[in-house]
Every structure is written in C-alpha cells, then in structure tokens.
Amino acid sequence: MDGGAPINARTFDLGLAGISLTAGNKVNVGGTGQIVFEMLVDGKPQIVNTRGKVNNCIFSGDEFKIGFTFLPLDNEAAGAITKFMR
C-alpha cells in the first residue's frame, strides 16, 4: 500500500476489473497501492504489475479478504489476464 511496507498475500479471485486477495494484514478501504502478482499464461510465468484501490477488507477466520479494483490496466496486463481467464 502507498507509504507502507509490502504485504504478502494469496490470490483468491481475479478478473479484468480487479483482484481479491487473502492476507494476514488489514488495509484501509479507499487506499491505493501497487499490486504485483505472477500467473501462468500459455504455460509461461507472467508478472503483472499494476495499481489498485481497496474496495473492501473483511476479517474472515484468521485472515483478511481484500478486494481491489484495478486502476487502469495497461494493454499487456489486460491481455495476460484475459488469456489466463480462458
């Protein structure tokens, strides 16, 4: 998150509009930050590096479920996510 240390998280859901993560740390709704994740596209690792805004952060069990809306994706990131979702 902007102004904070990196947070390790696990991807819960992914789409062109945004990403849901699970993490051990709470984040503030409305905050923005850099989102970097790796996924396999056509059998090859692809790193997506984009910005997002926190829509929700809910404590569930022993972790937080965090929903981000992507701030405008570049064409490379949008193409990689589209291929991944097929």
Side-chain angles (χ1 to χ4, degrees):
M1 298 303 300
D2 292 344
I7 298 171
N8 288 322
R10 193 168 39 113
T11 305
F12 184 78
D13 195 11
L14 174 66
L16 283 173
I19 190 168
S20 294
L21 308 171
T22 58
N25 300 71
K26 180 181 178 182
V27 296
N28 294 325
V29 173
T32 58
Q34 199 67 26
I35 303 169
V36 181
F37 60 96
E38 183 178 59
M39 59 188 179
L40 286 178
V41 177
D42 295 332
K44 299 175 187 171
Q46 173 92 33
I47 295 176
V48 174
N49 189 341
T50 191
R51 295 199 41 83
K53 181 177 181 179
V54 179
N55 288 330
N56 57 68
C57 181
I58 302 165
F59 188 70
S60 176
D62 60 349
E63 60 191 0
F64 292 91
K65 291 184 179 178
I66 306 165
F68 283 89
T69 297
F70 291 133
L71 298 177
L73 286 172
D74 62 31
N75 289 338
E76 183 179 351
I81 293 169
T82 298
K83 284 183 182 179
F84 177 78
M85 293 186 329
R86 288 187 203 161

